[in-house]
Amino acid sequence: MNRLSKGNSMIQKLLRVLLNICYILPYVLLAAPIAVYLFLLLIGNFSWMFKGLPLFISLVLVSIILIINRKKIFSGDLKLCSEIYLSERFSPQQLLKIFGIVFSAAIIWILVTDTRDAVFLLFIIALYSLIVLQIFAKDSGKRFTPLILLELMAVFVLQVFTTLFTHAYYYGWTDVPVHLNLIQTIVESGHVESILGQYTNYCLFHIDSVMASLLSGLDTYTTLYLTATPLIIVSTVFIYHIANHFTKSSQLSLLASFFYLMIPVVIQYAVYPMPRMHSTIAFIIILYGM
């Protein structure tokens, strides 16, 4: 009996330790990314700040939600798919107006400076933060859902296309130049060459870009992104409806769309268009239809 009581006592102590860790963990998750961002700001590494923005926003968002609702979580009052609000003082109408002002200012800034500097980074952070506040605003409801989705896609467009078209011929480290060369070859010759090699499987991707270039009159570099990147942006709507089917919560569905666009792979494929992107979007549409 003494051994059994000692064992139960050790288990209880271990559970208390785990409970204390879970209680302070949101504060650690909130402080850690802020500290990293302050360090990157001090050393002037804005490139890493842009790359780490999705992870930074996700960690801060989840931490704030857990901290505000910690009493409900530990008492067991918070149920799955429950609506959570950051504050009742936020008005969706006011947040919408502020978003419009900040978004317009960001566009003006990028047109005037033609660069993605620290100020533009602050604009992006402010815009995403305003979207989060709208998602968790008390009176948002379903009538603001389409507007919030449009805002989310608009910020993503601003973030991605300023990367693509601010710097001429932005390829990164992928084989985009090879695809562009094959697309240009088809445009000039009028037929698909038989020397595509390992890229033969991507003919439909090349033909799609060729047709867009011929119909729009734009160069192949521009049409490659205008035919590929918007697919990811439009798929946000399908992600919302798929999430809404399972959760029946517009708030959680908006969060699903938000986190979908925050996935590093999604951002990467938006900046470096790949043929597999079309297959991924097709899978999402089929999943939505099911």
Side-chain angles (χ1 to χ4, degrees), residues 103-279:
F103 188 81
S104 301
I107 293 177
I108 294 173
W109 181 264
I110 199 70
L111 290 175
V112 172
T113 62
D114 194 29
T115 183
R116 287 156 50 99
D117 54 3
V119 177
F120 184 73
L121 174 65
L122 293 176
F123 276 126
I124 296 297
I125 293 176
L127 289 170
Y128 276 130
S129 300
L130 287 169
I131 291 174
V132 171
L133 290 176
Q134 289 182 67
I135 293 175
F136 290 98
K138 182 71 174 178
D139 299 324
S140 287
K142 291 187 176 181
R143 67 191 183 98
F144 282 96
T145 296
L147 292 175
I148 296 175
L149 274 177
L150 286 174
E151 291 176 7
L152 185 58
M153 291 187 286
V155 178
F156 191 76
V157 167
L158 185 64
Q159 184 179 1
V160 170
F161 279 100
T162 51
T163 302
L164 300 176
F165 298 120
T166 298
H167 313 286
Y169 298 99
Y170 182 86
Y171 298 128
W173 47 266
T174 66
D175 57 352
V176 171
V178 180
H179 287 289
L180 279 172
N181 183 48
L182 295 172
I183 293 169
Q184 187 63 36
T185 301
I186 297 173
V187 170
E188 294 175 355
S189 64
H191 63 276
V192 179
E193 297 290 336
S194 59
I195 56 173
L196 295 179
Q198 62 179 337
Y199 292 92
T200 304
N201 296 329
Y202 307 129
C203 280
L204 291 178
F205 174 72
H206 300 145
I207 293 172
D208 175 42
S209 299
V210 168
M211 294 301 296
S213 179
L214 293 174
L215 291 173
S216 65
L218 299 173
D219 59 273
T220 54
Y221 170 79
T222 303
T223 53
L224 178 65
Y225 290 105
L226 293 181
T227 56
T229 303
L231 291 175
I232 285 184
I233 300 168
V234 174
S235 65
T236 307
V237 178
F238 294 95
I239 294 295
Y240 170 83
H241 286 291
I242 293 172
N244 192 53
H245 173 76
F246 290 103
T247 64
K248 308 300 180 184
S249 169
S250 60
Q251 188 182 75
L252 290 179
S253 302
L254 286 171
L255 278 178
S257 301
F258 177 84
F259 284 121
Y260 168 72
L261 292 181
M262 293 295 103
I263 298 174
V265 174
V266 173
I267 299 175
Q268 178 187 0
Y269 283 168
V271 177
Y272 310 116
M274 296 290 177
R276 67 180 67 94
M277 182 196 307
H278 292 71
S279 301

Side-chain angles (χ1 to χ4, degrees), residues 40-95:
L40 292 175
L41 181 63
L42 288 175
I43 65 176
N45 195 333
F46 302 120
S47 175
W48 278 100
M49 293 178 73
F50 271 109
K51 293 178 181 178
L53 188 61
L55 182 60
F56 172 79
I57 293 177
S58 303
L59 286 174
V60 171
L61 172 63
V62 172
S63 301
I64 292 175
I65 294 173
L66 291 176
I67 291 172
I68 292 178
N69 295 274
R70 60 188 182 279
K71 292 183 178 179
K72 291 183 179 180
I73 295 173
F74 283 96
S75 64
D77 294 335
L78 190 63
K79 298 179 180 179
L80 184 64
C81 300
S82 297
E83 298 291 325
I84 303 173
Y85 305 106
L86 291 177
S87 175
E88 298 182 2
R89 295 177 296 177
F90 298 118
S91 169
Q93 293 86 348
Q94 294 176 347
L95 292 172

